[in-house]
Amino acid sequence: MKTWITGGYVYRYEKRRLERKNLCMEDGRITRICSPSEKITDGIIHDVKGNAVVPGFIDIHTHGGCGFDVNAASKEKFQKIGYFFAQQGTTTWLCSILTDTKEQTEKVIAEVLKHKEDHENCADLLGIHLEGPFLSVEFKGAMPESLLRGADIELLREYQEKARGNIRYITVSPEVEGIPESIPEIRKLGITVAIGHSGADYETSRKCIENGAEACTHACNAMKLFHQHFPAIMGAVLEADDVYCETICDGRHLHPGSVRMILKAKGHDRVVAVTDSIMAAGLPDGAYKLGVNDVIVEDGDAKLPNGVRAGSTLTTGTALKRLIEFTGESMEDVLPLLTMNPARLIHAEEHIGSLEVGKDADILILDENYNILETFVKGMKIEKQEESSCH
């Protein structure tokens, strides 16, 4: 059955602007975008009353939300995380598995596959982001040090086989033994490579970029920062035109001025807004978990007992508002950071990231204050569940 979204302003990525258009969805895809003057002769009419019609948000780095941690998630918990995310504007996500034991990592992979085969009324879990285990001890952040290791392509290949190709993204540290040389092999497994959690020097970082690393995980956080005599990983990332920078725009991980600087250095097409959220997203302050770690959330700020920041409580809907606030730019200008840019980074732009005929009908309806009024995932409206404890 056709469903027409009418009476709204549709976001056109190529023009970076909203245009008064009608949009038709059928069988989970966008089948028509046309002038409101054209007569509609069939299908359901859904009038959005002058609000914005924009692509759904894509979060490629998140550890959970609404009381559920990815590393401990079952099929049913992935469903609940996905429902919460959809309410916040996320229509597509990668679940980020924090460095864990081989047994637990494979258990999570199995639950991801179960969820992908049977889910409804939630965001689309497109695949997996592995944050580790090939990471630096010095900049481990919340990673359990005993489980960090050198490059191991056979282990990664085993994970990818068990995941049936659903590992889409991995974070590695350039200075870890064997990593620069392994990046071409990682890419052959169909995995986009990001560098981070690192104190690597400029030359080693450049080698990783030359070998195919395409992104920097949560830029400026858990890494050696730029120094005029030691540009380090951050200097190499900022210099490289084609490398994407993940940014956590919660006002804690990056000062607003740092967000503006990264945007000026990289350009609006090479910055990806992520949440790096943990299970506490959507819930009050208190004690939570991130993988094997205990996390304390105070005033919305998630930290390990030793004071090291451990993910965030950010949502994509809030990230959009922060980006507008931090940059002083229009929604139309910053929206690609949450839509097309992450789609391109994980090589999924052919079917998500913008509102175009033939692409998936992942759509948000936003009011004038950028609040999410409605979410559509593959053309299906997300229906509110009264029993949900998250906000």
Side-chain angles (χ1 to χ4, degrees):
M1 172 66 75
K2 292 180 180 178
T3 298
W4 286 88
I5 295 177
T6 65
Y9 291 85
V10 175
Y11 181 72
R12 311 314 305 269
Y13 168 72
E14 295 298 337
K15 299 177 181 178
R16 303 294 201 279
R17 72 184 186 201
L18 298 170
E19 294 182 348
R20 192 72 183 234
K21 297 284 185 180
N22 290 338
L23 182 149
C24 183
M25 305 180 293
E26 188 174 10
D27 296 329
R29 299 288 183 91
I30 298 168
T31 56
R32 186 113 184 263
I33 299 173
C34 64
S35 167
S37 65
E38 293 189 32
K39 188 176 181 179
I40 297 172
T41 58
D42 60 345
I44 298 169
I45 304 295
H46 185 68
D47 186 354
V48 298
K49 304 183 187 311
N51 287 301
V53 182
V54 307
F57 303 145
I58 303 166
D59 193 358
I60 62 170
H61 188 163
T62 168
H63 299 278
C66 198
F68 304 105
D69 177 56
V70 161
N71 278 54
S74 62
K75 169 185 179 293
E76 293 74 21
K77 290 176 180 177
F78 276 121
Q79 168 72 37
K80 292 179 179 179
I81 297 170
Y83 168 72
F84 169 65
F85 283 170
Q87 293 292 319
Q88 309 304 314
T90 300
T91 55
T92 301
W93 63 297
L94 300 183
C95 65
S96 298
I97 302 177
L98 197 79
T99 297
D100 212 321
T101 63
K102 184 173 186 288
E103 178 185 22
Q104 188 61 26
T105 300
E106 291 180 345
K107 183 178 179 181
V108 179
I109 289 171
E111 294 300 315
V112 168
L113 295 181
K114 291 178 188 176
H115 171 72
K116 284 178 68 67
E117 291 172 356
D118 179 24
H119 62 274
E120 62 180 2
N121 204 46
C122 64
D124 179 37
L125 177 52
L126 185 62
I128 296 165
H129 164 218
L130 292 180
E131 195 168 9
F134 317 133
L135 298 177
S136 158
V137 170
E138 183 184 4
F139 288 85
K140 66 182 184 294
M143 306 297 159
E145 185 173 331
S146 63
L147 298 177
L148 299 178
R149 58 193 298 167
D152 187 340
I153 291 298
E154 290 310 310
L155 175 65
L156 188 56
R157 182 175 288 111
E158 188 176 344
Y159 283 161
Q160 185 66 307
E161 288 174 357
K162 289 184 180 297
R164 300 178 203 158
N166 281 290
I167 298 173
R168 305 290 295 254
Y169 191 47
I170 189 171
T171 300
V172 300
S173 300
E175 68 269 41
V176 166
E177 184 179 359
I179 281 297
E181 300 78 21
S182 298
I183 288 175
E185 293 303 311
I186 297 174
R187 286 168 55 90
K188 288 178 184 177
L189 294 174
I191 302 172
T192 297
V193 178
I195 52 177
H197 282 277
S198 171
D201 60 30
Y202 172 85
E203 289 76 18
T204 306
S205 302
R206 283 290 305 175
K207 184 65 175 176
C208 288
I209 293 167
E210 290 165 3
N211 284 352
E214 296 181 67
C216 172
T217 295
H218 43 53
C220 297
N221 285 272
M223 64 182 57
K224 182 82 75 173
L225 298 180
F226 176 85
H227 184 279
Q228 71 270 26
H229 300 308
F230 190 89
I233 178 174
M234 203 60 226
V237 165
L238 289 175
E239 181 190 20
D241 290 340
D242 293 336
V243 173
Y244 291 81
C245 277
E246 286 186 8
T247 57
I248 307 172
C249 298
D250 60 354
R252 295 186 173 99
H253 287 80
L254 293 169
H255 185 280
S258 297
V259 174
R260 294 190 293 272
M261 181 203 70
I262 292 170
L263 276 167
K264 286 202 172 186
K266 299 305 301 180
H268 283 57
D269 290 335
R270 287 294 182 272
V271 179
V272 173
V274 299
T275 64
D276 196 9
S277 65
I278 67 168
M279 65 185 297
L283 295 174
D285 289 355
Y288 296 96
K289 298 289 285 190
L290 174 58
V292 299
N293 301 284
D294 293 316
V295 177
I296 304 298
V297 178
E298 294 180 350
D299 191 27
D301 199 4
K303 294 182 179 180
L304 301 178
N306 64 6
V308 172
R309 189 162 276 126
S312 85
T313 58
L314 186 65
T315 64
T316 49
T318 299
L320 175 65
K321 294 179 180 180
R322 294 286 181 271
L323 277 166
I324 294 167
E325 175 189 346
F326 293 170
T327 63
E329 297 180 3
S330 69
M331 178 192 71
E332 295 92 312
D333 287 331
V334 301
L335 199 56
L337 277 66
L338 286 154
T339 56
M340 184 56 94
N341 294 358
R344 281 183 169 154
L345 175 56
I346 60 172
H347 306 287
E349 72 273 19
E350 288 188 2
H351 65 97
I352 57 175
S354 63
L355 302 182
E356 307 291 341
V357 171
K359 286 195 173 187
D360 293 355
D362 293 342
I363 297 168
L364 305 178
I365 311 301
L366 306 183
D367 69 15
E368 60 184 4
N369 295 314
Y370 319 114
N371 297 310
I372 295 144
L373 302 178
E374 296 177 294
T375 304
F376 293 85
V377 178
K378 314 302 177 216
M380 299 296 294
K381 183 180 176 182
I382 300 297
E383 301 295 342
K384 293 190 183 300
Q385 300 170 350
E386 295 301 326
E387 69 272 18
S388 176
S389 61
C390 288
H391 57 271

